[in-house]
Amino acid sequence: MLIRRKEAKDYGTGRMIEGTIHPGETCLIVEDVVTSGSSVFETAQVLQKEGLKVTDAIVLMDREQGGGERLAKDGITLHSVISISKLLDVLLEAGRIDAEVAQSVRRFIQENSTFKPTKENGSPAAKKPCTSLSYEARAQLPGIHPMASRLLKLMEEKKSNLCVSADVTDSEELLEVAETLGPLICVLKTHVDILRNFTPDTTRRLSELADKHHFLIFEDRKFADIGNTVKHQYEGGIYQIASWSHIINAHAVPGSGVVKGLEAVGKPLDRGCLLIAEMSSQGSLATGPYTQAVVKMADEHSDFVFGFICGSKISGKPEFIHMTPGVNMQSEGDSLGQQYTSPEEVICTKGSDVIIVGRGILAAADRVKAAEAYKKAGWEAYLKRLSLTT
């Protein structure tokens, strides 16, 4: 083993390298962290002056700020135990940091690269665009839930990550919302149990509109009972939700039985479930350890659960969809504890995938114009996220 001193001492051997050197041998450099790669490069130069070969270096963490690229240019291959991107994913999934912190770190790393490649003529090379896993790429991941894949493809096709929350109490108004806003959205979220004039014909016509305008129906039922009860609630009663709703959601409070009961009905019909990990209401108890437990439950039931209702990205697995309610470009909240967030903050900063908008569109004088604005804002935030993350 050899040790490189930061500077030669004015006593003893006075050498930069301490240890027994055998010229012609290959030396592996071991470091803790690499940023620009300068420390590894300087060490390599000292070793090479002593007649040693240097082809590889091992570091505990690669901060991904250009060190690997610079060393590769000088013929040294960098091997890291973990990268800063992977570390952020692990911390995010464990609930140690939130999506805003993770995104801020990724942005800093991207904007502070230390390596500036040059063309053969010596001029700076064109900056390579950042790469990130797009909706389309995620849809092709092996093992992804069919409903997640279907939604991601639909979002890419329509260039829309907008879900409209149709919290209306009249069946005809619900159908009007589906007809007029259907072309602009990827998902229509319903509360069928608040319709005062519901009939089975309502959901039949709604399904026809979903096929016509290519959107998915999400019944926001928030199942939260024992498995046998939710099974009957899902497939039976006057609403027969499983027969027409592509997506449902559930609380994790009852334990895994709630998912098993819903899965028994929904899986044979190719339906999918979102677990409620966080809520947009003030004082919600769905935080911290509870949210982490929800992520764990989703991992254990990923053959039916394909994502989350949440305020920000809570899982590092790209197979999971994150849908965020409480999105509004104007209001800060209401008197009943609802809290709002902008599309850019939800998609670009907090790392979610789908914005859920209710009153921001339904209360507008021109619903179509409002929906177009939210669709544009949500998609532009997604494109911005692609440009900032790697």
Side-chain angles (χ1 to χ4, degrees), residues 165-177 189-197 362 367:
S165 181
D167 298 337
V168 297
T169 59
D170 180 77
S171 293
E172 290 304 317
E173 185 178 3
L174 171 64
L175 295 171
E176 181 186 359
V177 168
K189 185 172 76 71
T190 61
H191 277 294
V192 71
D193 56 353
I194 68 173
L195 294 174
R196 61 175 178 266
N197 52 351
L362 297 186
R367 290 177 173 176

Side-chain angles (χ1 to χ4, degrees), residues 19 29 39 104 110 117-118 201 239 245 260 277 324 331 340:
I29 297 176
S39 177
S104 175
Q110 178 61 37
T118 57
D201 189 56
Y239 300 119
S245 182
K260 292 176 181 177
T324 298
S331 178
Y340 291 121

Side-chain angles (χ1 to χ4, degrees), residues 307-329:
F308 310 96
I309 297 296
C310 51
S312 62
K313 182 179 178 182
I314 57 173
S315 171
K317 294 184 178 180
E319 294 86 353
F320 282 130
I321 304 292
H322 296 74
M323 298 181 63
T324 298
V327 178
N328 194 307
M329 292 191 288

